[in-house]
Amino acid sequence: MKSKKTQKKKADPVILGITFILLIFGLIMLASAGVVLSETRFGDAYYLFKRQLLFGVIPGLALFFIFQKVNYRFWKKVSVLLFFVTIILLFLVLMPGIGSSYKGASSWIDLGPISFQPTEMAKFTMIIYLAAWLESRGRKIKSFKEGLLPFLAILCAVSALIISQPDLGTLGAIVIISVMMLFASGAPIKHLAGLFAGGVSIILLLIKLEPYRMDRLKVFLGTGIDPQGIGYQINQALMAVGSGGLFGLGLGYSRQKFNYLPEPVGDSIFAIIAEELGFIGAGLLLLLFIAFALRGFRIARFAPDQFSRMVAIGISSWIIFQALINIMAIIKLIPLTGITLPLISYGSSSLVFTLLGIAVLLNISKHTDLSVKK
């Protein structure tokens, strides 16, 4: 335990600064990438920008400023409650009349003028719950019976509900974050190897069961497959990235956003960024995410207790791995997943819970001495 003298009064300025840079940059790129889609679909060139500001940024920042002041131990006390509320919400989204569908995925609960995506909440609550659970296990985490099996039960309960929607991209992110936390808690390598082998087998089975997932895999493995059909989105995304060159076409001058590239404000926004700002702009964005993760992992390294250490690892992994999954899919290093770019892509639920997670990380940083030269 660290003494009270080592506690910081202010939140980590690096995480704070990167967060606001990404948030402002995301709003700028959303305004640019969404102008044509907003005008075409809603008759207002800045409709999506306004909705992101009203339902994402404002409530997200409100929670951000409140909970970065709330002691991180609060989340340990409510971890079980949060987990069960999340399970209930993930179940309700599948109920007719409560959940709503978009492009074949039943991932939203309608709340009048806004919609809420429980899977975004699940990322946050899984980190909190697993951090509390892993701390309670202690050395038992090395046991197959008392460590790995209960971990699998927790993960499978959430995974079954998410895959029923279906949302393979979010499921993949949650699994990666959970396994990272398990690894950091001291689980044996053989357990992790078994999880990896089992995970790959399940993913291959899920791909085989759904034709659209198999189509995405075929597009990833092949070249020029059905460029006007199943290969359309990735082809247009690669065209956007390639046409940006080194310096880009200039902010606001994307061609692909003129109804050529699907989801220009969602999971494809990185392609618009690369097109308008070029390799340099896209590269700087990636460096910001890497810098965030490195600082977050440093906070985890010097965190005052096991719970805060696990939470910091989980939140840092959440941001960096979701960003990498999105970017790698857009440049065809992995199959398309449909997962958003944190703090950048359109989506109020995603933005609100991402800001909430970062607020908790910042509070942990207040109790962490990062001046140690190690």
Side-chain angles (χ1 to χ4, degrees):
M1 292 291 291
K2 290 184 170 33
S3 68
K4 292 183 179 179
K5 293 182 180 180
T6 63
Q7 292 183 357
K8 296 174 66 178
K9 294 182 179 180
K10 294 183 179 180
D12 180 59
V14 177
I15 292 290
L16 189 62
I18 293 175
T19 298
F20 278 94
I21 290 172
L22 289 172
L23 185 61
I24 294 169
F25 177 75
L27 286 173
I28 292 171
M29 290 310 306
L30 177 61
S32 175
V35 64
V36 177
L37 180 63
S38 294
E39 180 65 40
T40 303
R41 188 174 297 179
F42 304 104
D44 179 354
Y46 295 102
Y47 177 84
L48 294 174
F49 172 82
K50 293 174 184 176
R51 281 189 62 86
Q52 182 80 333
L53 196 62
L54 183 61
F55 298 114
V57 175
I58 293 176
L61 286 179
L63 292 176
F64 179 85
F65 285 114
I66 291 170
F67 284 104
Q68 60 92 19
K69 295 180 180 180
V70 175
N71 191 292
Y72 68 86
R73 295 179 183 88
F74 162 80
W75 297 103
K76 183 179 178 181
K77 297 175 183 178
V78 299
S79 60
V80 175
L81 176 62
L82 281 176
F83 180 74
F84 281 107
V85 168
T86 302
I87 292 293
I88 291 170
L89 290 173
L90 289 173
F91 178 76
L92 288 177
V93 82
L94 302 172
M95 301 294 290
I98 299 177
S100 61
S101 299
Y102 177 71
K103 292 190 175 181
S106 302
S107 303
W108 287 263
I109 293 177
D110 281 326
L111 300 173
I114 63 173
S115 58
F116 168 68
Q117 200 169 3
T119 50
E120 295 299 333
M121 179 180 178
K123 296 172 189 174
F124 175 74
T125 54
M126 272 293 285
I127 291 170
I128 299 298
Y129 181 74
L130 276 179
W133 182 81
L134 288 168
E135 184 187 49
S136 71
R137 292 288 91 183
R139 293 183 177 275
K140 292 180 181 178
I141 199 63
K142 297 180 182 293
S143 165
F144 176 81
K145 184 178 180 180
E146 298 185 75
L148 184 61
L149 284 183
F151 172 83
L152 283 173
I154 295 167
L155 192 57
C156 287
V158 175
S159 299
L161 290 169
I162 293 176
I163 204 61
S164 298
Q165 296 184 13
D167 190 346
L168 192 58
T170 297
L171 175 61
I174 288 177
V175 169
I176 291 172
I177 295 165
S178 301
V179 172
M180 277 290 294
M181 294 174 68
L182 181 67
F183 170 71
S185 71
I189 296 296
K190 61 182 180 180
H191 289 178
L192 299 172
L195 283 173
F196 177 78
V200 170
S201 300
I202 292 172
I203 289 173
L204 291 175
L205 177 62
L206 291 172
I207 289 173
K208 188 175 181 180
L209 290 175
E210 288 288 349
Y212 78 92
R213 294 188 191 124
M214 182 61 73
D215 288 341
R216 286 183 176 182
L217 182 60
K218 289 178 181 177
V219 169
F220 170 69
L221 295 174
T223 56
I225 295 177
D226 195 6
Q228 295 301 315
I230 60 175
Y232 182 76
Q233 183 174 358
I234 189 60
N235 286 338
Q236 296 302 126
L238 291 174
M239 192 179 300
V241 173
S243 63
L246 186 60
F247 299 104
L249 303 178
L251 182 63
Y253 288 93
S254 164
R255 301 188 188 101
Q256 288 298 321
K257 68 185 179 185
F258 284 88
N259 296 322
Y260 293 110
L261 176 64
E263 303 295 334
V265 299
D267 54 291
S268 296
I269 198 168
F270 182 77
I272 303 296
I273 294 170
E275 185 184 15
E276 294 192 347
L277 304 181
F279 176 80
I280 292 178
L284 288 174
L285 176 62
L286 179 58
L287 287 176
L288 282 173
F289 280 114
I290 293 172
F292 182 101
L294 291 175
R295 191 66 173 183
F297 289 136
R298 182 171 175 80
I299 291 170
R301 182 181 179 188
F302 297 106
D305 52 50
Q306 179 72 349
F307 174 73
S308 58
R309 186 175 301 114
M310 290 297 101
V311 171
I313 289 171
I315 292 170
S316 302
S317 299
W318 173 11
I319 301 299
I320 187 61
F321 283 114
Q322 184 164 325
L324 288 176
I325 290 171
N326 175 274
I327 293 170
M328 291 170 69
I330 290 300
I331 60 177
K332 207 183 177 184
L333 291 180
I334 60 174
L336 281 173
T337 60
I339 201 167
T340 56
L341 190 60
L343 298 170
I344 308 294
S345 295
Y346 177 77
S348 56
S349 298
S350 174
L351 184 56
V352 167
F353 283 106
T354 300
L355 286 172
L356 178 58
I358 295 172
V360 177
L361 179 62
L362 285 172
N363 183 263
I364 293 172
S365 75
K366 293 180 180 180
H367 301 269
T368 305
D369 185 8
L370 298 177
S371 64
V372 182
K373 301 294 183 181
K374 288 186 180 179

